[in-house]
């Protein structure tokens, strides 16, 4: 696993500075994080840095601050008022640049709109919007008045939207007349209409105009944003919230049940993210930073909105699909804005690899200084391709490991402090203040170079406050696997240099194109199809997306399998969850492999789908189920051969 002999033209060595800082951060963690926290603006200093009542951590207790003040107000008091905060690129080629002073004015006006709609401190606001500046402005406007936002990815279906809105009991829903995706309009307002019929908590709906699609806005419950802005004040006093006031709730998938509402704090979250951003991305005042994630995921929250804006950085946002209208779109954007830091996902890199390097080489990417990768393990080939063809062999790649729950980056090289020698495929070492390890089944440290479970050994400021409305589930999911440590759900290896290699999920969470999809959520969607009684969903290794979705479903008595039924099931899943959950393969079977206690053995299904060893079958109840599945697979393969 060790691999130091790479064709690097750069090296920051030795790494003494980083290691000294790391050591100090673990020896005196409270002093260390207090020092970092002082870099933000507080209206009242905290009484206590950390209150750790396992498994609940509360940071900077008693401290008061406001996230929108940190992201905009404090910059408009300086020369940055005329600096570009957001370079926005629309899918159809339209663009907008918002300075910090414009952003400040808009955040205040939007906050006034929210207030006028009766939203106040602690109320929940659901944001179902495309990647347009209005989304960020509303996030910051919520933070300004102490309202808690929940962004729902605009690719989710009406049902998925309704589930999330109901879980948080949102008072207000903000959507758009539509969003552009590959030149087509995603009818967000119509989807929202369908959801709202099932969401009694929603008192009001605000609609942003983006596509000019003909939608109906029924007053007084629904209003166009433009109409509400006519009565908006130009200044709204920021609400000085306590450090542990939730900034937002973001849903993510787990192994069981419905998606979990991950609750993030204001103070701890911002401290962690601001520090991590500087360390990892080596931010300079003149950096032009582009994170390609969607704001609907945590990467977008932390790395497009809160961390860059808190630093007064210039952040690029692109509305649409990476390969639309042509596969050169991303490289055009880097060239157009002179992007210096480019942060993306292994899936995207692998997709572009498939198109060949010529289309990248046609572009002048010499502005780039640093590259980043996130969301899934990056395979060495993709790493090298990215390093050579995009980074021109001059840019370090920061492979950043973190999760929705961690709020901020946890393991990554830190060129902003001192860059460690890189190894392709390893996220290297934890950030200062972060202590992680790899443990075996028994919870003891795993031997060097051996696969184990990734754990976090002490609280960190960006750590989730909990799962919305379910403290027990929080305890159970993260703190019950091994005593006293946070269970991340990933397999990892620690090599002889102490570097961490995160290998992928150890649980039944799928990572499809970097999106986290829970098997339980998908199976619920499959069995809600009227002709299906039972289902199991597994991941299959995919050369581009990392994993693809394979469904095994048992049909109701008397129902015959048919290609139409398969198509119908795919459409049903799209409707229930959204396009990101549409399966790549569907198999109808008469029984699923189960243990004698009745649990589906997904492991067996996964082995069949991936053509790997099936392993121990002693707990299996009925061996014929496995034979049937293998047969179904063979038939598929024969079918493919015939087609050729
Ligand atoms: C899971 C978290 C917060 C980032 C976006 C995804 C996987 C994330 C890496 C990486 C290997 C990675 C893990 C993790 N993951 N980054 N650099 N190397 N795996 O957030 O949806 O909460 O997913 O993404 O499996 O547990 P998320």
């Amino acid at each position: 696993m060790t691999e130091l002999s790479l064709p690097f033209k750069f090296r920051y060595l030795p790494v003494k500075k980083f290691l000294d800082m790391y050591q100090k951060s673990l020896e005196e963690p409270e002093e260390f994080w207090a020092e970092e926290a002082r870099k933000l603006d507080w209206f009242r200093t905290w009484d206590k840095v950390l209150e750790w009542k396992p498994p609940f951590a509360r940071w900077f207790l008693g401290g008061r601050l406001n996230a929108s003040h940190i992201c905009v107000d404090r910059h408009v008091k300086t020369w940055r008022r005329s600096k570009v905060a957001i370079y926005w690129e629309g899918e159809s080629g339209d663009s907008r640049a918002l300075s910090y002073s414009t952003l400040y004015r808009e955040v205040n006006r939007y906050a006034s709109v929210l207030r006028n709609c009766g939203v106040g401190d602690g109320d929940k606001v659901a944001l179902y919007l495309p990647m347009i500046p209005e989304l960020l402005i509303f996030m910051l406007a919520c933070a300004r008045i102490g309202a808690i936002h929940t962004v729902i990815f605009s690719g989710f279906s009406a049902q998925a939207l309704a589930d999330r809105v109901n879980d948080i009991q949102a008072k207000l829903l903000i959507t758009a007349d539509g969003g552009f995706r590959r030149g087509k309009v995603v009818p967000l307002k119509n989807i929202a209409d369908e959801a709202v019929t099932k969401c009694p908590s929603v008192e009001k709906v605000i609609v942003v105009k983006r596509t000019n699609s003909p939608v109906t806005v029924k007053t007084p419950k629904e209003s166009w944003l433009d109409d509400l802005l006519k009565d908006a004040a130009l200044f709204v006093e920021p609400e000085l919230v306590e450090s542990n006031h939730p900034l937002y709730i973001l849903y993510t998938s787990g192994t069981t049940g419905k998606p979990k509402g991950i609750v993030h704090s204001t103070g701890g979250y911002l401290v962690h993210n601001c520090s991590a951003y500087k360390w990892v991305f080596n931010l300079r005042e003149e950096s032009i930073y582009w994170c390609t994630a969607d704001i609907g995921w945590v990467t977008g929250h932390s790395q497009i909105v809160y961390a860059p804006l808190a630093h007064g950085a210039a952040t690029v946002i692109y509305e649409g699909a990476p390969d639309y209208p042509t596969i050169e779109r991303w490289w055009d954007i880097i060239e157009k804005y002179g992007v210096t830091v480019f942060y993306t996902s292994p899936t995207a890199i692998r997709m572009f690899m498939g198109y060949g390097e010529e289309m990248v080489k046609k572009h002048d990417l010499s502005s780039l200084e640093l590259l980043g990768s996130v969301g899934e393990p990056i395979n060495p080939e993709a790493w090298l391709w990215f390093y050579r063809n995009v980074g021109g062999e001059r840019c370090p790649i920061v492979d950043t490991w973190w999760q929705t729950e961690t709020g901020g980056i946890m393991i990554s090289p830190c060129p902003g402090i001192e860059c460690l020698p890189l190894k392709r495929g390893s996220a290297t070492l934890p950030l200062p203040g972060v202590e992680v390890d790899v443990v075996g089944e028994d919870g003891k440290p795993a031997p060097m170079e051996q696969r184990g479970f990734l754990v976090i050994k002490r609280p960190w400021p960006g750590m989730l406050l909990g799962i919305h409305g379910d403290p027990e589930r929080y305890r159970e999911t993260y703190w019950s696997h091994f005593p006293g440590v946070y269970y991340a759900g990933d397999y990892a290896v620690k090599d002889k240099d102490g570097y961490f290699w995160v290998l992928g999920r150890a649980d039944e969470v799928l990572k499809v194109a970097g999106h986290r999809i829970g098997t339980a959520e998908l199976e619920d969607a499959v069995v809600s199809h009227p002709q299906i009684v039972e289902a199991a969903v597994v991941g299959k290794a995919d050369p581009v997306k990392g994993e693809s979705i394979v469904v095994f479903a048992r049909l109701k008595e008397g129902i015959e399998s048919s290609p139409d039924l398969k198509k119908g099931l795919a459409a049903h899943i799209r409707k229930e969850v959204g396009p990101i959950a549409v399966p790549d393969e569907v198999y109808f079977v008469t029984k699923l492999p189960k243990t004698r206690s009745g649990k589906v053995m997904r492991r067996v299904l996964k082995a069949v789908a991936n053509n790997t060893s099936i392993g121990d079958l002693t707990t299996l109840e009925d061996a014929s189920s496995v034979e049937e599945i293998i047969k179904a697979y063979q038939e598929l393969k024969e079918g493919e051969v015939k087609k050729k």
Side-chain angles (χ1 to χ4, degrees), residues 376-408:
E376 19 162 0
I378 178 162
N379 49 313
E381 300 73 34
W383 197 104
L384 204 58
W385 189 91
F386 196 33
Y387 178 73
R388 283 196 176 132
N389 300 301
V390 180
E393 295 186 21
R394 54 169 209 282
C395 309
I397 297 179
V398 290
D399 176 358
T400 64
W401 178 87
W402 56 300
Q403 307 180 300
T404 306
E405 294 87 342
T406 70

mmCIF file of all heavy atoms in Angstrom, residues 376-408:
data_model
loop_
_atom_site.group_PDB
_atom_site.id
_atom_site.type_symbol
_atom_site.label_atom_id
_atom_site.label_comp_id
_atom_site.label_asym_id
_atom_site.label_seq_id
_atom_site.Cartn_x
_atom_site.Cartn_y
_atom_site.Cartn_z
ATOM 1 N N GLU A 376 -16.072 9.205 -2.052
ATOM 2 C CA GLU A 376 -15.839 7.772 -2.182
ATOM 3 C C GLU A 376 -14.339 7.582 -2.320
ATOM 4 O O GLU A 376 -13.615 8.542 -2.593
ATOM 5 C CB GLU A 376 -16.570 7.187 -3.405
ATOM 6 C CG GLU A 376 -16.925 8.237 -4.360
ATOM 7 C CD GLU A 376 -17.264 7.834 -5.774
ATOM 8 O OE1 GLU A 376 -17.254 6.656 -6.131
ATOM 9 O OE2 GLU A 376 -17.500 8.757 -6.538
ATOM 10 N N PRO A 377 -13.894 6.349 -2.171
ATOM 11 C CA PRO A 377 -12.459 6.133 -2.346
ATOM 12 C C PRO A 377 -12.062 6.461 -3.791
ATOM 13 O O PRO A 377 -12.814 6.180 -4.712
ATOM 14 C CB PRO A 377 -12.293 4.628 -2.086
ATOM 15 C CG PRO A 377 -13.515 4.212 -1.336
ATOM 16 C CD PRO A 377 -14.606 5.121 -1.800
ATOM 17 N N ILE A 378 -10.901 7.074 -3.960
ATOM 18 C CA ILE A 378 -10.443 7.365 -5.327
ATOM 19 C C ILE A 378 -9.435 6.282 -5.720
ATOM 20 O O ILE A 378 -8.461 6.039 -5.005
ATOM 21 C CB ILE A 378 -9.889 8.803 -5.483
ATOM 22 C CG1 ILE A 378 -9.391 9.034 -6.915
ATOM 23 C CG2 ILE A 378 -8.832 9.167 -4.467
ATOM 24 C CD1 ILE A 378 -9.237 10.504 -7.296
ATOM 25 N N ASN A 379 -9.718 5.622 -6.840
ATOM 26 C CA ASN A 379 -8.824 4.544 -7.274
ATOM 27 C C ASN A 379 -7.554 5.151 -7.873
ATOM 28 O O ASN A 379 -7.573 6.258 -8.418
ATOM 29 C CB ASN A 379 -9.523 3.624 -8.278
ATOM 30 C CG ASN A 379 -10.211 4.399 -9.385
ATOM 31 O OD1 ASN A 379 -10.913 5.367 -9.117
ATOM 32 N ND2 ASN A 379 -9.989 4.007 -10.616
ATOM 33 N N PRO A 380 -6.422 4.445 -7.759
ATOM 34 C CA PRO A 380 -5.138 5.001 -8.194
ATOM 35 C C PRO A 380 -5.127 5.477 -9.649
ATOM 36 O O PRO A 380 -4.504 6.496 -9.958
ATOM 37 C CB PRO A 380 -4.167 3.841 -7.993
ATOM 38 C CG PRO A 380 -4.791 3.011 -6.925
ATOM 39 C CD PRO A 380 -6.270 3.141 -7.107
ATOM 40 N N GLU A 381 -5.849 4.805 -10.548
ATOM 41 C CA GLU A 381 -5.847 5.222 -11.967
ATOM 42 C C GLU A 381 -6.513 6.591 -12.113
ATOM 43 O O GLU A 381 -6.018 7.465 -12.819
ATOM 44 C CB GLU A 381 -6.619 4.224 -12.854
ATOM 45 C CG GLU A 381 -6.083 2.804 -12.857
ATOM 46 C CD GLU A 381 -6.382 2.054 -11.572
ATOM 47 O OE1 GLU A 381 -7.450 2.293 -10.974
ATOM 48 O OE2 GLU A 381 -5.537 1.244 -11.143
ATOM 49 N N ALA A 382 -7.639 6.746 -11.438
ATOM 50 C CA ALA A 382 -8.352 8.021 -11.524
ATOM 51 C C ALA A 382 -7.503 9.128 -10.902
ATOM 52 O O ALA A 382 -7.442 10.254 -11.398
ATOM 53 C CB ALA A 382 -9.700 7.922 -10.828
ATOM 54 N N TRP A 383 -6.853 8.815 -9.809
ATOM 55 C CA TRP A 383 -5.987 9.771 -9.121
ATOM 56 C C TRP A 383 -4.913 10.278 -10.079
ATOM 57 O O TRP A 383 -4.717 11.478 -10.245
ATOM 58 C CB TRP A 383 -5.345 9.073 -7.925
ATOM 59 C CG TRP A 383 -4.740 9.967 -6.875
ATOM 60 C CD1 TRP A 383 -5.273 10.260 -5.661
ATOM 61 C CD2 TRP A 383 -3.473 10.650 -6.944
ATOM 62 N NE1 TRP A 383 -4.432 11.100 -4.961
ATOM 63 C CE2 TRP A 383 -3.325 11.352 -5.728
ATOM 64 C CE3 TRP A 383 -2.473 10.741 -7.898
ATOM 65 C CZ2 TRP A 383 -2.210 12.125 -5.434
ATOM 66 C CZ3 TRP A 383 -1.354 11.532 -7.618
ATOM 67 C CH2 TRP A 383 -1.228 12.210 -6.393
ATOM 68 N N LEU A 384 -4.253 9.332 -10.752
ATOM 69 C CA LEU A 384 -3.148 9.693 -11.633
ATOM 70 C C LEU A 384 -3.641 10.488 -12.839
ATOM 71 O O LEU A 384 -3.014 11.460 -13.264
ATOM 72 C CB LEU A 384 -2.422 8.418 -12.088
ATOM 73 C CG LEU A 384 -0.981 8.626 -12.509
ATOM 74 C CD1 LEU A 384 -0.156 9.243 -11.388
ATOM 75 C CD2 LEU A 384 -0.358 7.297 -12.934
ATOM 76 N N TRP A 385 -4.780 10.097 -13.347
ATOM 77 C CA TRP A 385 -5.366 10.806 -14.499
ATOM 78 C C TRP A 385 -5.670 12.264 -14.133
ATOM 79 O O TRP A 385 -5.361 13.191 -14.879
ATOM 80 C CB TRP A 385 -6.639 10.078 -14.945
ATOM 81 C CG TRP A 385 -7.179 10.597 -16.243
ATOM 82 C CD1 TRP A 385 -6.868 10.133 -17.491
ATOM 83 C CD2 TRP A 385 -8.120 11.667 -16.423
ATOM 84 N NE1 TRP A 385 -7.565 10.863 -18.438
ATOM 85 C CE2 TRP A 385 -8.332 11.810 -17.820
ATOM 86 C CE3 TRP A 385 -8.795 12.516 -15.549
ATOM 87 C CZ2 TRP A 385 -9.199 12.756 -18.355
ATOM 88 C CZ3 TRP A 385 -9.658 13.480 -16.085
ATOM 89 C CH2 TRP A 385 -9.854 13.588 -17.470
ATOM 90 N N PHE A 386 -6.249 12.423 -12.971
ATOM 91 C CA PHE A 386 -6.606 13.749 -12.449
ATOM 92 C C PHE A 386 -5.330 14.581 -12.253
ATOM 93 O O PHE A 386 -5.230 15.727 -12.690
ATOM 94 C CB PHE A 386 -7.323 13.524 -11.117
ATOM 95 C CG PHE A 386 -8.113 14.690 -10.581
ATOM 96 C CD1 PHE A 386 -8.756 15.580 -11.412
ATOM 97 C CD2 PHE A 386 -8.261 14.855 -9.196
ATOM 98 C CE1 PHE A 386 -9.512 16.633 -10.889
ATOM 99 C CE2 PHE A 386 -9.008 15.891 -8.663
ATOM 100 C CZ PHE A 386 -9.624 16.788 -9.524
ATOM 101 N N TYR A 387 -4.356 13.965 -11.630
ATOM 102 C CA TYR A 387 -3.084 14.620 -11.320
ATOM 103 C C TYR A 387 -2.383 15.092 -12.599
ATOM 104 O O TYR A 387 -1.910 16.223 -12.685
ATOM 105 C CB TYR A 387 -2.211 13.635 -10.544
ATOM 106 C CG TYR A 387 -0.842 14.152 -10.201
ATOM 107 C CD1 TYR A 387 -0.675 15.115 -9.211
ATOM 108 C CD2 TYR A 387 0.293 13.684 -10.869
ATOM 109 C CE1 TYR A 387 0.583 15.602 -8.899
ATOM 110 C CE2 TYR A 387 1.550 14.163 -10.566
ATOM 111 C CZ TYR A 387 1.694 15.126 -9.584
ATOM 112 O OH TYR A 387 2.939 15.607 -9.282
ATOM 113 N N ARG A 388 -2.351 14.199 -13.595
ATOM 114 C CA ARG A 388 -1.632 14.517 -14.834
ATOM 115 C C ARG A 388 -2.401 15.463 -15.735
ATOM 116 O O ARG A 388 -1.879 16.481 -16.165
ATOM 117 C CB ARG A 388 -1.400 13.226 -15.631
ATOM 118 C CG ARG A 388 -0.297 12.403 -15.072
ATOM 119 C CD ARG A 388 0.150 11.365 -16.098
ATOM 120 N NE ARG A 388 1.277 10.657 -15.555
ATOM 121 C CZ ARG A 388 1.388 9.335 -15.556
ATOM 122 N NH1 ARG A 388 0.441 8.588 -16.096
ATOM 123 N NH2 ARG A 388 2.448 8.776 -15.028
ATOM 124 N N ASN A 389 -3.651 15.086 -16.033
ATOM 125 C CA ASN A 389 -4.353 15.794 -17.101
ATOM 126 C C ASN A 389 -5.058 17.058 -16.643
ATOM 127 O O ASN A 389 -5.205 17.988 -17.416
ATOM 128 C CB ASN A 389 -5.342 14.858 -17.780
ATOM 129 C CG ASN A 389 -4.614 13.680 -18.377
ATOM 130 O OD1 ASN A 389 -3.747 13.862 -19.219
ATOM 131 N ND2 ASN A 389 -4.918 12.495 -17.890
ATOM 132 N N VAL A 390 -5.497 17.086 -15.421
ATOM 133 C CA VAL A 390 -6.177 18.290 -14.937
ATOM 134 C C VAL A 390 -5.178 19.160 -14.176
ATOM 135 O O VAL A 390 -5.089 20.366 -14.390
ATOM 136 C CB VAL A 390 -7.396 17.926 -14.058
ATOM 137 C CG1 VAL A 390 -8.084 19.192 -13.565
ATOM 138 C CG2 VAL A 390 -8.376 17.056 -14.841
ATOM 139 N N GLY A 391 -4.396 18.524 -13.327
ATOM 140 C CA GLY A 391 -3.464 19.287 -12.492
ATOM 141 C C GLY A 391 -2.129 19.560 -13.154
ATOM 142 O O GLY A 391 -1.271 20.223 -12.558
ATOM 143 N N GLY A 392 -1.928 19.043 -14.371
ATOM 144 C CA GLY A 392 -0.675 19.313 -15.091
ATOM 145 C C GLY A 392 0.556 18.913 -14.294
ATOM 146 O O GLY A 392 1.604 19.542 -14.415
ATOM 147 N N GLU A 393 0.413 17.913 -13.450
ATOM 148 C CA GLU A 393 1.505 17.401 -12.607
ATOM 149 C C GLU A 393 2.087 18.465 -11.694
ATOM 150 O O GLU A 393 3.212 18.367 -11.244
ATOM 151 C CB GLU A 393 2.625 16.781 -13.470
ATOM 152 C CG GLU A 393 2.142 15.560 -14.215
ATOM 153 C CD GLU A 393 3.232 14.816 -14.959
ATOM 154 O OE1 GLU A 393 4.414 14.976 -14.609
ATOM 155 O OE2 GLU A 393 2.886 14.058 -15.880
ATOM 156 N N ARG A 394 1.300 19.535 -11.448
ATOM 157 C CA ARG A 394 1.845 20.543 -10.527
ATOM 158 C C ARG A 394 0.972 20.727 -9.302
ATOM 159 O O ARG A 394 1.405 21.319 -8.331
ATOM 160 C CB ARG A 394 2.102 21.876 -11.231
ATOM 161 C CG ARG A 394 1.111 22.505 -11.937
ATOM 162 C CD ARG A 394 1.210 23.878 -12.431
ATOM 163 N NE ARG A 394 -0.184 24.251 -12.422
ATOM 164 C CZ ARG A 394 -1.052 23.870 -13.356
ATOM 165 N NH1 ARG A 394 -0.664 23.214 -14.409
ATOM 166 N NH2 ARG A 394 -2.316 24.161 -13.225
ATOM 167 N N CYS A 395 -0.251 20.192 -9.320
ATOM 168 C CA CYS A 395 -1.169 20.462 -8.211
ATOM 169 C C CYS A 395 -1.295 19.262 -7.271
ATOM 170 O O CYS A 395 -1.564 18.158 -7.731
ATOM 171 C CB CYS A 395 -2.562 20.773 -8.750
ATOM 172 S SG CYS A 395 -2.577 22.034 -10.024
ATOM 173 N N PRO A 396 -1.117 19.485 -5.975
ATOM 174 C CA PRO A 396 -1.384 18.379 -5.049
ATOM 175 C C PRO A 396 -2.874 18.016 -5.085
ATOM 176 O O PRO A 396 -3.704 18.871 -5.411
ATOM 177 C CB PRO A 396 -1.026 18.938 -3.674
ATOM 178 C CG PRO A 396 -0.650 20.348 -3.847
ATOM 179 C CD PRO A 396 -0.719 20.713 -5.294
ATOM 180 N N ILE A 397 -3.186 16.775 -4.782
ATOM 181 C CA ILE A 397 -4.593 16.372 -4.686
ATOM 182 C C ILE A 397 -4.901 16.131 -3.214
ATOM 183 O O ILE A 397 -4.237 15.317 -2.570
ATOM 184 C CB ILE A 397 -4.873 15.080 -5.475
ATOM 185 C CG1 ILE A 397 -4.602 15.305 -6.967
ATOM 186 C CG2 ILE A 397 -6.324 14.619 -5.265
ATOM 187 C CD1 ILE A 397 -4.818 14.081 -7.836
ATOM 188 N N VAL A 398 -5.900 16.834 -2.694
ATOM 189 C CA VAL A 398 -6.326 16.542 -1.334
ATOM 190 C C VAL A 398 -7.501 15.574 -1.403
ATOM 191 O O VAL A 398 -8.549 15.889 -1.931
ATOM 192 C CB VAL A 398 -6.669 17.821 -0.528
ATOM 193 C CG1 VAL A 398 -5.393 18.610 -0.239
ATOM 194 C CG2 VAL A 398 -7.664 18.733 -1.235
ATOM 195 N N ASP A 399 -7.255 14.366 -0.918
ATOM 196 C CA ASP A 399 -8.308 13.344 -0.856
ATOM 197 C C ASP A 399 -8.920 13.504 0.534
ATOM 198 O O ASP A 399 -8.276 13.215 1.538
ATOM 199 C CB ASP A 399 -7.666 11.967 -1.054
ATOM 200 C CG ASP A 399 -8.659 10.825 -0.923
ATOM 201 O OD1 ASP A 399 -9.846 11.070 -0.646
ATOM 202 O OD2 ASP A 399 -8.225 9.666 -1.080
ATOM 203 N N THR A 400 -10.142 14.015 0.595
ATOM 204 C CA THR A 400 -10.720 14.403 1.878
ATOM 205 C C THR A 400 -11.772 13.398 2.324
ATOM 206 O O THR A 400 -12.766 13.192 1.633
ATOM 207 C CB THR A 400 -11.384 15.793 1.768
ATOM 208 O OG1 THR A 400 -12.477 15.711 0.851
ATOM 209 C CG2 THR A 400 -10.409 16.839 1.279
ATOM 210 N N TRP A 401 -11.558 12.790 3.467
ATOM 211 C CA TRP A 401 -12.572 11.874 4.014
ATOM 212 C C TRP A 401 -13.391 12.594 5.080
ATOM 213 O O TRP A 401 -12.824 13.191 6.012
ATOM 214 C CB TRP A 401 -11.940 10.620 4.637
ATOM 215 C CG TRP A 401 -13.020 9.737 5.214
ATOM 216 C CD1 TRP A 401 -13.724 8.783 4.550
ATOM 217 C CD2 TRP A 401 -13.547 9.768 6.553
ATOM 218 N NE1 TRP A 401 -14.672 8.223 5.387
ATOM 219 C CE2 TRP A 401 -14.590 8.801 6.613
ATOM 220 C CE3 TRP A 401 -13.267 10.523 7.697
ATOM 221 C CZ2 TRP A 401 -15.334 8.564 7.774
ATOM 222 C CZ3 TRP A 401 -14.015 10.292 8.849
ATOM 223 C CH2 TRP A 401 -15.028 9.317 8.883
ATOM 224 N N TRP A 402 -14.696 12.542 4.932
ATOM 225 C CA TRP A 402 -15.605 13.037 5.961
ATOM 226 C C TRP A 402 -16.996 12.549 5.643
ATOM 227 O O TRP A 402 -17.200 11.783 4.703
ATOM 228 C CB TRP A 402 -15.526 14.557 6.107
ATOM 229 C CG TRP A 402 -15.767 15.385 4.879
ATOM 230 C CD1 TRP A 402 -15.049 15.362 3.718
ATOM 231 C CD2 TRP A 402 -16.776 16.378 4.705
ATOM 232 N NE1 TRP A 402 -15.550 16.296 2.839
ATOM 233 C CE2 TRP A 402 -16.613 16.931 3.411
ATOM 234 C CE3 TRP A 402 -17.790 16.880 5.515
ATOM 235 C CZ2 TRP A 402 -17.443 17.938 2.907
ATOM 236 C CZ3 TRP A 402 -18.604 17.892 5.019
ATOM 237 C CH2 TRP A 402 -18.427 18.405 3.729
ATOM 238 N N GLN A 403 -17.974 12.968 6.405
ATOM 239 C CA GLN A 403 -19.342 12.474 6.254
ATOM 240 C C GLN A 403 -20.333 13.592 6.579
ATOM 241 O O GLN A 403 -19.975 14.572 7.233
ATOM 242 C CB GLN A 403 -19.615 11.364 7.273
ATOM 243 C CG GLN A 403 -18.630 10.242 7.281
ATOM 244 C CD GLN A 403 -18.985 9.195 8.324
ATOM 245 O OE1 GLN A 403 -19.046 9.484 9.515
ATOM 246 N NE2 GLN A 403 -19.209 7.978 7.885
ATOM 247 N N THR A 404 -21.584 13.358 6.200
ATOM 248 C CA THR A 404 -22.643 14.296 6.573
ATOM 249 C C THR A 404 -22.583 14.522 8.090
ATOM 250 O O THR A 404 -22.706 15.652 8.567
ATOM 251 C CB THR A 404 -24.016 13.700 6.195
ATOM 252 O OG1 THR A 404 -23.987 13.359 4.818
ATOM 253 C CG2 THR A 404 -25.136 14.685 6.463
ATOM 254 N N GLU A 405 -22.374 13.462 8.826
ATOM 255 C CA GLU A 405 -22.388 13.537 10.284
ATOM 256 C C GLU A 405 -21.200 14.294 10.868
ATOM 257 O O GLU A 405 -21.309 14.882 11.941
ATOM 258 C CB GLU A 405 -22.371 12.122 10.883
ATOM 259 C CG GLU A 405 -23.599 11.291 10.617
ATOM 260 C CD GLU A 405 -23.557 10.519 9.301
ATOM 261 O OE1 GLU A 405 -22.743 10.874 8.423
ATOM 262 O OE2 GLU A 405 -24.328 9.559 9.157
ATOM 263 N N THR A 406 -20.053 14.240 10.177
ATOM 264 C CA THR A 406 -18.872 14.887 10.775
ATOM 265 C C THR A 406 -18.893 16.397 10.533
ATOM 266 O O THR A 406 -18.136 17.117 11.160
ATOM 267 C CB THR A 406 -17.540 14.306 10.243
ATOM 268 O OG1 THR A 406 -17.372 14.689 8.880
ATOM 269 C CG2 THR A 406 -17.471 12.800 10.383
ATOM 270 N N GLY A 407 -19.728 16.851 9.607
ATOM 271 C CA GLY A 407 -19.893 18.286 9.360
ATOM 272 C C GLY A 407 -18.727 18.898 8.599
ATOM 273 O O GLY A 407 -18.916 19.711 7.714
ATOM 274 N N GLY A 408 -17.526 18.534 8.965
ATOM 275 C CA GLY A 408 -16.332 19.074 8.315
ATOM 276 C C GLY A 408 -15.367 17.947 7.969
ATOM 277 O O GLY A 408 -15.549 16.797 8.383
#
